[in-house]
Amino acid sequence: MRSRLTWGQIAVGGILAGILVVPYLAAIQQAPPGGEFTGFLVNPLDGFSYLAKMRQGLAGNWLFRLPYAEAPGEPALLFPYHLLLGNLARILVLPLIHVYHAARLAGAAAMVLAAWLLLGRLPLAAAGRAAALALTVLGSGWGWILVGAGMFSADLSMPEALPWYSAYSNAHFSLALAALLLGVAAFVQPPASQLARLGLGAACGLVLGAVAGYAALPAGAAMTVWLVAFRNHEDGSAVRARLPVWLAWMVGAGAWLVYDYGLSRSHPVLSLWFAQNQTPSPAIPSYLAAYAPILILVAAGLWLRRKEIPPAIWFLVLWVAIIAVSLYSPFSLQRRFALGLFFPLAGLAGWGLEGMSWARRRLLLSGAIASGLPSIALVVGAGLAGVHSGQTGLVLDVGTMEAMQWLGEHAPQDSVVLAGPETGNALPAFANVRVLYGHPFETPRAELKRDLVVGLFQGEVELAAGLERTEGGRIDLVFYGQEERLLGSPMWLGDLPAVYANGDVTIYQVPTP
C-alpha cells in the first residue's frame, strides 16, 4: 500500500519543526543578564550527561567510561550514539551543543518519516493515514487540567510518553523511535528481497538496541505473539516473509540487551550505576490523563468497527496491550516502555476515524489535537520561564561558564574535581574532568558521595578525612563558586593554593599527599 504526503501533512510537520526549534532560539534571548542558556529546556540533569558522553567522543574515544565517577573502571561499549556525535563534532570542528541539536532535529525528521512509512503499510485509507500522522506529530493529553490539583501527568513530565515531547527533549529518543517504527513497518509489510528483509530487520534492531534497547521488547513480543496467533489467517508465503525480519530484529536488538545485562552484572563500577538507574512508572491516572484524547478515539473506533478488524490492526492492539502491561512489570526502567506507545494508538485512532463521516471525523480529530495543545504550551512555557528566571541547569552564570572553560583548557584529563552537586553535574559536559558527585544515577554510591560533597563544603568533613572516603583516594581540584558558597566556607579551603579566579569562581589545587 502506497502513501503520499499531502500539503496538509507537510504543514503539520512544519508546525512540529517550529515547536522543536523556535523555543530554543527564543531561550537564547531569554537568559537574564550575567547568565547564559545552556542549551537544554527539558531535564538538564540528563542533558549535561549526554554532553559529557559526547565529550568522550570529542577526545577520540569509542568506548565509554562513567564521567561522574572518580574511578570509572574499564571502558565499555555503551552509548555509541553519543560517542559518535562527539567524534563528529571533533571531525567537523563544531561545538558539542550544536551537533547535539542538529542530531535532535535529524532524529525528529527520521521519526516522522518512519511513522509515515509505517502508516502507509497498515490497512488505512488516505483519511485514516492523515489523521494518524496528525495525531502522531501534534498529539498530547489532558494533563493541563490536573495542574491546579498539583498533579503532573505523563504528558507534562515524561518525554518518552509522546512523540513531540521525545523530539523536543533529547536526540536519542527520536532516533530510537525511527528505528523502532522502520522495523515494525518491515515486519508488517516485508520487502520483496530476502536480503532486504534480513538487512532492514538487523539494522533496525541494532540501532534500537544500541540507543534504547528496552523499546524493542514490547514490539518484539507483539511480533512473536502475532506470528503465532495469526499464522492461519494468511497464506504461508506472507508468514515466511515476516520471519526473517522478526529473526534479524530479535538478534540485532537482543545482542545489545544481552551485552548490557552482562555489564550490569559483571562490571564493578557500571553495575552500581545500573542498580541506581530506577525510572518507575507513575500511577495509572497519570497515563490516563496523558493519553485520554487518543484513547477516546481508539475506543470509539474499535467499537464502531469491531466486526471488521483485520490482522494488522490486531497487531497494533497487541502492541498497545503488551506495552501497557510492561509499564508495571518488575523492571527498573518501567516508564521507558512508554517510548513508542503513542504510535500504535495513533494507527488505531486513524483506522477508527475512517469508519465515521467526514464531519464527525474532522470534529473528533480537531478536538483531540486542540484539547492537548495546552499541555504542549505548558511544557514549552515552563522551560522558557525557567530560562527567564535563571533556573539552575537551564542557565549558568557567565563566571561559572568561564571557569569551566578554563578547566577544559588547563586541567589535566581525568582530574577529579570537588564541586557542588549541581556544578558537578555540568562540569564533565564542559571539561575532560571527573567529579566526586554529579548525577543521582551515574555517580556510583550516589547518596554517599553527595553527602560527602555537602559535608566537605559545610565544614563537617575535613579534607583529609574526605580523601580517605573517595574511591581513588584523591581530589585534584576544588571548584568554589556561587553554589559552593551557599553550602559553606570550610576552614580547610584556606590552606589550598588558588590556580584560577574570575571574581565569581575560584579554583583551588589540592596538593598530592
Side-chain angles (χ1 to χ4, degrees), residues 275-293:
Q276 293 177 156
N277 194 14
Q278 304 286 325
T279 54
S281 272
I284 292 177
S286 175
Y287 287 121
L288 292 179
Y291 295 112

Side-chain angles (χ1 to χ4, degrees), residues 16-17 20 81 85 98-116 136-137 163-182 207 211 339 343:
L16 176 64
L20 301 185
Y81 180 52
L85 293 180
H98 293 178
V99 173
Y100 179 81
H101 281 296
R104 182 176 66 86
L105 296 176
M111 177 188 72
V112 173
L113 178 60
W116 172 63
T136 295
V137 171
W164 84 266
Y165 205 171
S166 295
Y168 183 71
S169 64
N170 63 54
H172 64 285
F173 277 175
S174 295
L175 177 65
L177 288 169
L180 173 68
L181 298 175
L182 285 175
V207 171
V211 179
L339 189 70
F343 296 95

